[in-house]
Each structure stands twice: as C-alpha cells, then as structure tokens.
Amino acid sequence: MAKKALVIVESPSKAKTIQKYLGRDYIVKASVGHIKDLPKSKLGVDPKKGFAPDYQIIPAKVKVIEELRKASQLVPELYLATDPDREGEAIAWHINEELKAKGKKVHRVLFNSITKPAILEAMKSPEKLNIDKFNAQQARRILDRLVGYKISPLLWDKVRRGISAGRVQSVALRLIVDREAEIKKFKPEEYWTIGAQFSKDGIDFEAKLFKIDGKDPELSNKKTVDELLAALKGAQWKITSIEQKERSRKPTAPFITSRLQQEAARKLGFSAKKTMALAQRLYEGVDLGDLGTHGLITYMRTDSVRIEPGALQSVREYIAETYGKNSLPEEANVYKTKKSAQDAHEAIRPTSLEFTPEKVTPFLEKDELRLYQLIWNRFVASQMLPAVYDQTAIDIVAKDSAGHTQNFRTTGSILKFPGFTAVYTEGTEDEKDSENDERALKLPKIKEGDTVTNKSYDPVQHFTQPPPRYTDASLIRDLEEKGIGRPSTYATILSNLQDREYVERRESRYYPSELGTVVTELLVHSFPDILNTEFTAGMEDQLDEIEEGKSDWKKTLGNFWKPFEKTLEKAKETMKNVKRQEVPTDVPCEKCGHNMVIKWGKMGSFLACSNYPECKCTQDFTKDEQGKIVIVPKEFTDKKCELCSNPLIVKNGKFGKFLACSDYPNCKFTAAITLGIPCPECKEGEICQKQSRYRRLFYSCNKWPKCTFACWDKPIQKECPQCHYPILAEKITKRAGLMHKCIKKECGYVDIIDPDAGKAPPPEPEDSTKKTAVA
C-alpha cells in the first residue's frame, strides 16, 4: 500500500506518538536531533568568504540519514515537523538539503502540542521553511563557534588545556564570580529593631517601632537603643490611627520557560536541566494505558504567555465546575508578553483538562507528576479571580521624656476571599512564613484615642547581610532580566558551568571555583565586550532582528568580527600567563625553610618551594574568609608504598582521589583507592572506584591491565544466592528504588531492598493559608 507522505520529527518517542495519530498512510521517522553541525576538529567558518559555514554530517547520524533517504523515496510528499524553534528550523533545513527532495512537495509543520487534534490540524495547514529563522540560528551558531574556538585555545596556552570560553556561558559565569566578590568585600553593619508588647483589657498584642518624629528610626548601636528605651519609661501610649482597607492579589501568568525553571527550582528543588528533561517527556507523549498516548503539556521552550482561545474556554469551564462560578472572572485574564519575546508559541499549559493530575498519576514517575501538577496548578490559577485580604494597620504613639514622638505599629491581614490561592501561590527565594503575628487576632475592641499599657520592650540586634549566592532560580531570573541568552539555553549553560568545573553547586547555591574565577578575571581584562552583559544582550536583540527579517545575518556577523579579531590579536600578546605566574608568600617550606610561592597547575593553584629545583616540596592549600593561606594537611593512610615502603597519602587528581607515595617526587608510585572488596575474577587485586573520561563512575580491579574486570554499578561484598558469584551490585532506579542484583547478566538475580529509595516525596498540596498574614 502506497504511503501518502514522510513525516520527520526530532525524537523517537514523539515519532511513535504521532505515528499512532496519523495511522498507516504516513511514515513517521525521527532525526534524533541535529544531523549536521560544524566540525569539531577545526573552526569550520571562513570569515573571509562571508562566514561560509562548513556543515558536516554528524558521524553518529549517517545511518539515520540513510534511513530517512530510503523512506523519502517511497512517498511523494515530505513533512518536516521538527521542533517549532530556531534549532528545529535548522534541523529541518539540513534534512531537506540531505534528502534533496527534488520533485517532492516539502512542507514545514509546527506542532505546539502533541495531541491528536493539534497534529491533524497542523497537517492540514502546513507552512514553508523559514529562511529568516534558519539564518538567526545559523548566525548564533557561528557567533558561538567564533568566540569558543578563538578564545579557548588562548586559555589553553595561558591557564590550562581543555578549558573553554563561551559567548553566553562566560557572561553567566561572570555573574557568579562578581557575586562572590561582592560577598567577600561586604562589611556587615549593625542595626537594631525594637518590638514592644502592649495590653488592653487584659489582652496582649505586639507591635514594632515604626517611626521617630515621623522619620525611619536609625538605631545603629546599643547605646542609642538604651537611650531611647530610657526615654520611654513612663510614656503614655495611645491608639492614634486604625487603618483598615481591602487589598487584592492577582494571579500570575501561565509559565514561560524561564519561569518554569525558576519555580521548579524553588518549589521542587529541580535543576534547570532536570526540569527541561521532565518537561520534554511530558510534551512528547506519555502512555496513559487504555486512554492511549498523549502529550500532556504544550511546547516547553517559549517566552510567550499567550493562550489559545479554545484552551481559555476549557479552563474557564473547569474552574466554574470545580471551584464555583464565584472563582471565575467575568472575562478571561489576559497577560502581556514582553516586547523581546517570540510570540510564535503559547505559554506552557496542559494540553487537555481531561487529563487531571489525579487521572494521570498511575502513569507518571513521581518527579514527572510533580512538574505536571505545578504546570496544571499555575495554568488553572492564572484564570481565576484575585485573592482578597482585609488589611489592618494600627499606630500606637507616645511622647518620650526627650520630647520625641515614638510610633509603634502592628500590621497584618486576614484572607477574605481565597480566589486563585485556593489552587496555587508563587514561590519565593525565601520560603519563610509571613512575619505578621497571628496573635493580633486577639486584639480587643479598640478605637482611635484609646490608651494602652506597655508591658515590655524587646530590642534585637541585627547585622546587614551580603547579597545571597545564586541559586538556579535567581541566576535564571538575572539572566532573563539582563537579556543574556534565551530561556531555552539556560539549562545547558548552568550544566556546562558545572561540567567544566567553573562552579560548584553546594546546597543549591553556586560557588565559583578557583579556575572559574581565574578564567573570568583574564577574560574581563582582555575581552571586556564579550564579558559585558549589555553587549551580550544586544547580540540577542540582533539575532531576533535576523529572525524577523529586519537584519542581514552576514552583516551582523561582520560587525561583530572586525573589532573582535583586533581584540583577539591584542589578547594573545597581553593576556597574563597564569602558568608562569609565581605569587610570593610568607609560608615556610616544611623541608628546607625557604618561603613558598603560589603556582598554577592542572588541578589549580598549589604551594611550591621557591628554592626549586633544589627543593621540590609542594603543598595543597585553601584560603580562609580573610584570604589567609591555610595549609591542607596530608591525608596519610596505613598502607605502604610498594616501591620504597614510605606511607601512602590521599591526593586529588583529574579523575578523583588516588593514593600516592608521601616521598614524591623522589618516588612517583601511585595506586587507586579500593573498596576493600577482593576482585571476583583474578582473586589477587581489589575493586576500586574510577572515573571515565566522560566523568562517569565505574568500578574495576586495581590490577588492571593484568585483570580486566569492570562494572558500572557499585559492588557489595555479598554472594549471589542464585549463581553464587562472590559479589552483587547495588543500584538505585526511579522505578524500582534500591536493589541488589547479580553482576553476571546471564544470572538475572534481582532483590528489591527499598522501593522508595531515590524517589522524590510527593508534592505538598498548596495551602492558601500558609503565608496569610493576619491582623
């Protein structure tokens, strides 16, 4: 039976879902991402020939292209249905070039959601390939290649081989490094606040010092506070003002990519990379059993808050039915998309309100469900009425003995109408409850002019705090506000910074590494424009203009390249060579007594004797908060060197910790750190943990290459009860939890130890009263 057309998408899972919707008349294949790219081995761009790119087929995609060619020969029409963004457009263009579909009708199809109605509707109204969108992607790719491939070799020469620079990545790193510098320079300043307890008709309530003589209080030390409290002795307190008003709080717009990443970080603790991976799965399609396979959310790379009219009508009907008509505004809430946004896609929302979180729970992994619930709640709440609060502010005033007017105030609010908060409240960087005191509800009946009795004062000392280190949420927020990169790239940027050891992520906050700080300082000095946030944001605007057909991509690249080329040549001569740099210290060498100097090596900075080469002593060090050098003591073990019998010490290397002779450099013996488990194959060595070139952990015998035993999962010293192999492997998966399994695949033994291990806890239900301040 002849097929009507070949439909090409990016991912295999999406291909399976769409194949079910279109039926047997169509062939649906996946490109599995990009099929062509610039070569890794060379620049691949010729600025002298109009920035002509040398696109080459990605070696891993040769078979994919052959399959697509064969399939295209069977059909008269070709539908290119890659993702509806710049990257997807580039993939579509490259597929069209490789298939050389002469005589065939070639269509561009954009799917905003993977549902049967959306797919069928898009197939009815295909578009043409968009040359402007392709050129915008091409310009961005070439820009990134020019910056990365021209600056990175310079860093290899001056700092360390293998490190890299990136047009957007380096600016994001600068934000983290600059924030760390702010924190280190910060000097805390003392200030005080004064609380007070008042009483009326036997009921106590609290207030805080609000004004002194109508001005904000300036309490910078204990002496000032003591003088103020002394002047308040015997003061007569009166209620001078009771202000009551109604306040409303509007719902927030449905998610765009950056807001989803921020909120998932704040509420669920997800990294941007994890959020986008989960969202991709929800978008591409989930098997819902008897209900079939459905994409549960719309396209997750978008910066538009627009909602399709049919979806608006559906959610309004759902709100009226579920929460009552009194939760529904007369007209749909409309949100403004920012000027720089590409309005081609909708906001991120559920594709159908038929698939409630409760209904799809059996078919989703826990983290998938938590993210889906977040998207669902935000979308539904965005079309509900504002929350309404009754807000009260009460001023208690007295004249002190020095003649100053002291004004204490108590404030708070009571939730009058929950509105959208019945479904969702937006997270914050600091998830503390409101500071307003619920005991204010016990206020007696009071009116202006009433006198109250002071029972006590509560002065509290504080110190100003430095700006907080970046989290995923706050860094993405700043990148977006400054116009650096695009929301669809943020997850990759943050991931690259960690993979390249420029930053460390501790307790969800980013700390620049020494390498990241050194690289940033060098780049800021030598390439001030590249590391400038306004310059980077301006480049993004120019890329947008290319997509809109307002600018020529080659001219844009030319305007960038001419000054960049001059700066590059100057940097080759003037950039500081960290490898050759020696910083004197007053730390004495433990072997010869000469002062040590700070040098830079493959693993960062270290102390070396200034009497080199006569003395080759080196030491690791760190710096305390004041910047003083602190020697890292050597970590001795009870094991002896196999060559010279000196004790072995633990050291850090490119692939993690290892054992080395303490008499280095006279003796250069090294060994892997073992788990203390005998090798089950050679019976002579022990199993040790190692790291592959791609930084993936694995386990092997320390007698390698004499013994070739190796496995990916962590071994434990426990015999397999089925085949009696000496060891088992311990593994944690999302679906099965903690398990013990036989390392020998042919055995197949598996024992589930803890089915809940490694799984995220279920999402906490939204509590509309959690942050309600009451008066």
Side-chain angles (χ1 to χ4, degrees):
M1 180 180 175
K3 305 291 185 180
K4 286 183 179 180
L6 170 63
V7 180
I8 301 176
V9 296
E10 287 185 39
S11 79
S13 61
K14 194 195 299 185
K16 289 179 183 178
T17 304
I18 293 173
Q19 183 73 74
K20 292 177 183 177
Y21 295 155
L22 297 180
R24 297 181 180 179
D25 290 344
Y26 292 84
I27 302 172
V28 184
K29 294 283 186 180
S31 69
V32 198
H34 282 275
I35 62 166
K36 296 170 77 174
D37 198 4
L38 298 173
K40 290 186 176 181
S41 58
K42 59 181 181 179
L43 182 64
V45 177
D46 192 346
K48 296 180 180 179
K49 294 182 179 180
F51 299 95
D54 179 20
Y55 290 117
Q56 297 181 1
I57 294 174
I58 299 170
K61 299 299 175 66
V62 173
K63 289 184 179 179
V64 173
I65 293 172
E66 283 302 314
E67 287 182 13
L68 295 179
R69 281 199 186 112
K70 289 178 183 178
S72 70
Q73 292 169 3
L74 304 174
V75 296
E77 293 185 75
L78 181 62
Y79 287 83
L80 301 174
T82 47
D83 285 352
D85 55 16
R86 289 177 189 168
E87 297 300 315
E89 198 69 30
I91 295 170
W93 273 83
H94 291 153
I95 291 172
N96 188 41
E97 287 174 357
E98 287 305 310
L99 298 190
K100 295 175 182 175
K102 293 181 180 178
K104 295 183 190 293
K105 289 184 178 180
V106 179
H107 308 285
R108 179 74 170 107
V109 186
L110 304 177
F111 300 144
N112 189 52
S113 60
I114 309 301
T115 61
K116 190 170 184 178
I119 299 299
L120 297 179
E121 183 61 32
M123 293 293 288
K124 288 179 185 177
S125 53
E127 303 177 5
K128 293 181 180 180
L129 287 166
N130 187 326
I131 184 65
D132 293 326
K133 188 179 283 188
F134 170 61
N135 283 338
Q137 188 278 341
Q138 188 167 236
R140 183 204 61 78
R141 185 73 185 93
I142 293 171
L143 270 174
D144 291 346
R145 175 55 64 102
L146 291 173
V147 172
Y149 272 51
K150 288 295 183 180
I151 296 181
S152 296
L154 191 57
L155 293 176
W156 300 352
D157 182 48
K158 306 291 185 179
V159 184
R160 177 173 110 184
R161 189 166 185 83
I163 61 178
S164 68
R167 183 178 61 88
V168 179
Q169 164 197 303
S170 296
V171 181
L173 174 60
R174 182 182 182 178
L175 293 180
I176 297 172
V177 171
D178 285 352
R179 176 60 58 87
E180 192 69 22
E182 284 182 64
I183 293 170
K184 288 181 177 178
K185 289 179 182 177
F186 182 82
K187 294 182 179 179
E189 295 181 1
E190 182 183 5
Y191 72 98
W192 290 70
T193 59
I194 300 177
Q197 190 173 53
F198 295 96
S199 180
K200 172 72 172 174
D201 298 334
I203 297 177
D204 297 341
F205 61 97
E206 293 181 358
K208 286 188 175 181
L209 180 60
F210 177 56
K211 298 283 183 182
I212 300 177
D213 292 333
K215 298 179 181 179
D216 292 336
E218 295 181 3
L219 308 175
S220 57
N221 53 62
K222 191 174 185 300
K223 180 183 176 184
T224 304
V225 172
D226 289 343
E227 289 173 354
L228 187 149
L229 294 178
L232 284 175
K233 287 183 178 179
Q236 301 297 311
W237 294 97
K238 281 187 179 182
I239 304 293
T240 61
S241 170
I242 301 176
E243 184 182 352
Q244 294 179 317
K245 61 182 179 180
E246 190 175 87
R247 179 178 65 88
S248 64
R249 180 182 169 195
K250 294 180 179 179
T252 44
F255 282 127
I256 57 175
T257 304
S258 57
R259 297 289 192 272
L260 176 63
Q261 292 171 349
Q262 292 173 53
E263 196 72 340
R266 286 191 290 245
K267 282 182 170 283
L268 308 179
F270 292 170
S271 67
K273 184 177 181 180
K274 179 174 182 177
T275 297
M276 295 308 289
L278 292 171
Q280 184 87 29
R281 298 209 293 263
L282 294 173
Y283 164 70
E284 290 182 348
V286 177
D287 185 356
L288 302 180
D290 295 339
L291 298 173
T293 301
H294 296 273
L296 294 180
I297 64 170
T298 53
Y299 191 55
M300 63 285 159
R301 294 183 183 93
T302 177
D303 49 8
S304 170
V305 292
R306 177 176 57 83
I307 296 295
E308 188 265 329
L312 274 179
Q313 183 61 33
S314 295
V315 73
R316 284 175 61 81
E317 291 173 358
Y318 173 82
I319 292 168
E321 183 180 334
T322 308
Y323 300 99
K325 291 184 179 180
N326 63 334
S327 295
L328 191 67
E330 290 185 10
E331 294 183 359
N333 294 330
V334 178
Y335 299 93
K336 289 184 179 180
T337 296
K338 62 181 182 179
K339 290 182 180 180
S340 62
Q342 305 297 300
D343 203 35
H345 319 303
E346 284 187 73
I348 303 169
R349 62 169 177 83
T351 55
S352 172
L353 293 173
E354 173 191 354
F355 303 123
T356 64
E358 294 75 22
K359 197 170 187 177
V360 300
T361 294
F363 309 103
L364 297 180
E365 294 182 4
K366 277 194 173 181
D367 285 346
E368 290 174 339
L369 177 61
R370 296 174 74 199
L371 189 66
Y372 183 60
Q373 181 86 59
L374 191 70
I375 294 168
W376 175 282
N377 288 352
R378 174 89 163 214
F379 175 59
V380 172
S382 72
Q383 289 303 318
M384 295 176 72
L385 282 169
V388 180
Y389 300 84
D390 279 337
Q391 193 171 53
T392 304
I394 302 174
D395 286 346
I396 307 104
V397 176
K399 282 272 188 182
D400 64 19
S401 59
H404 297 295
T405 302
Q406 307 286 353
N407 184 351
F408 280 71
R409 174 174 285 187
T410 183
T411 61
S413 58
I414 298 173
L415 182 65
K416 185 178 181 180
F417 174 70
F420 77 94
T421 63
V423 180
Y424 180 86
T425 53
E426 190 169 26
T428 61
E429 283 298 300
D430 187 359
E431 290 284 1
K432 293 179 182 179
D433 289 344
S434 170
E435 292 182 359
N436 292 309
D437 197 336
E438 293 186 11
R439 285 177 295 177
L441 280 174
K442 298 179 182 179
L443 277 173
K445 290 182 179 181
I446 53 178
K447 62 183 183 298
E448 290 183 13
D450 283 355
T451 59
V452 294
T453 304
N454 172 258
K455 296 187 71 175
S456 63
Y457 297 105
D458 181 24
V460 179
Q461 184 187 39
H462 307 271
F463 290 92
T464 54
Q465 297 297 309
R469 290 182 176 86
Y470 279 113
T471 62
D472 270 28
S474 58
L475 183 55
I476 289 169
R477 180 199 63 215
D478 275 14
L479 289 172
E480 183 185 25
E481 287 179 355
K482 296 176 187 296
I484 301 169
R486 279 288 173 260
S488 58
T489 65
Y490 293 158
T492 304
I493 291 168
L494 301 191
S495 178
N496 285 344
L497 290 177
Q498 295 174 77
D499 293 343
R500 289 165 185 169
E501 298 180 353
Y502 287 148
V503 301
E504 297 174 37
R505 194 164 178 259
R506 287 181 253 152
E507 297 179 348
S508 299
R509 295 196 176 271
Y510 286 107
Y511 293 74
S513 66
E514 184 179 24
L515 175 64
T517 302
V518 168
V519 167
T520 298
E521 289 172 352
L522 293 177
L523 292 179
V524 168
H525 183 265
S526 298
F527 298 92
D529 281 347
I530 297 296
L531 271 287
N532 182 279
T533 55
E534 289 81 8
F535 178 83
T536 306
M539 286 305 307
E540 293 298 335
D541 292 338
Q542 291 179 56
L543 293 175
D544 290 342
E545 288 183 1
I546 294 171
E547 182 171 344
E548 294 163 8
K550 297 177 181 178
S551 296
D552 179 77
W553 70 279
K554 291 183 180 180
K555 187 176 180 181
T556 299
L557 289 174
N559 292 338
F560 166 81
W561 174 250
K562 288 177 184 177
F564 175 69
E565 189 177 26
K566 291 180 182 178
T567 305
L568 186 68
E569 291 304 315
K570 183 180 178 182
K572 289 177 181 178
E573 301 297 325
T574 60
M575 183 181 280
K576 184 170 63 177
N577 193 323
V578 178
K579 291 179 180 178
R580 299 173 187 168
Q581 180 181 355
E582 292 186 0
V583 180
T585 74
D586 56 1
V587 178
C589 173
E590 63 180 5
K591 290 188 177 180
C592 71
H594 283 78
N595 282 351
M596 306 288 275
V597 294
I598 298 174
K599 286 189 174 184
W600 184 269
K602 290 182 179 180
M603 300 306 298
S605 58
F606 64 96
L607 290 173
C609 184
S610 58
N611 195 30
Y612 177 88
E614 283 72 19
C615 177
K616 297 179 180 179
C617 176
T618 62
Q619 286 182 296
D620 293 328
F621 74 95
T622 61
K623 289 185 178 180
D624 61 19
E625 292 183 357
Q626 285 73 43
K628 293 182 179 179
I629 292 174
V630 178
I631 301 295
V632 176
K634 293 178 180 178
E635 188 179 341
F636 285 87
T637 70
D638 56 359
K639 295 185 178 182
K640 300 293 182 180
C641 174
E642 295 178 9
L643 299 180
C644 66
S645 299
N646 278 301
L648 296 179
I649 59 175
V650 178
K651 300 198 81 174
N652 282 308
K654 184 178 180 181
F655 298 107
K657 291 185 176 183
F658 65 98
L659 296 176
C661 182
S662 56
D663 194 31
Y664 178 87
N666 297 321
C667 177
K668 298 183 178 179
F669 173 80
T670 61
I673 297 175
T674 71
L675 303 180
I677 300 174
C679 175
E681 297 295 328
C682 70
K683 315 294 184 186
E684 297 178 8
E686 291 185 351
I687 297 173
C688 59
Q689 177 181 288
K690 292 187 177 181
Q691 197 177 66
S692 74
R693 59 183 294 188
Y694 301 109
R695 301 193 178 281
R696 184 179 173 186
L697 295 178
F698 70 98
Y699 302 85
S700 68
C701 180
N702 66 346
K703 295 296 182 182
W704 185 89
K706 182 180 176 182
C707 176
T708 59
F709 170 82
C711 62
W712 289 113
D713 301 320
K714 184 179 180 180
I716 57 172
Q717 197 162 3
K718 189 176 181 182
E719 185 181 87
C720 174
Q722 193 161 291
C723 71
H724 303 292
Y725 194 68
I727 61 175
L728 292 174
E730 185 175 84
K731 186 173 183 177
I732 296 178
T733 66
K734 290 180 180 178
R735 292 188 181 277
L738 174 64
M739 66 171 75
H740 291 168
K741 66 174 189 174
C742 187
I743 287 179
K744 299 185 75 173
K745 292 182 179 179
E746 58 269 25
C747 172
Y749 171 78
V750 175
D751 181 20
I752 305 299
I753 304 300
D754 182 1
D756 294 322
K759 295 184 180 180
E764 294 182 5
E766 291 288 350
D767 183 355
S768 62
T769 64
K770 180 181 176 184
K771 293 187 178 181
T772 301
V774 284

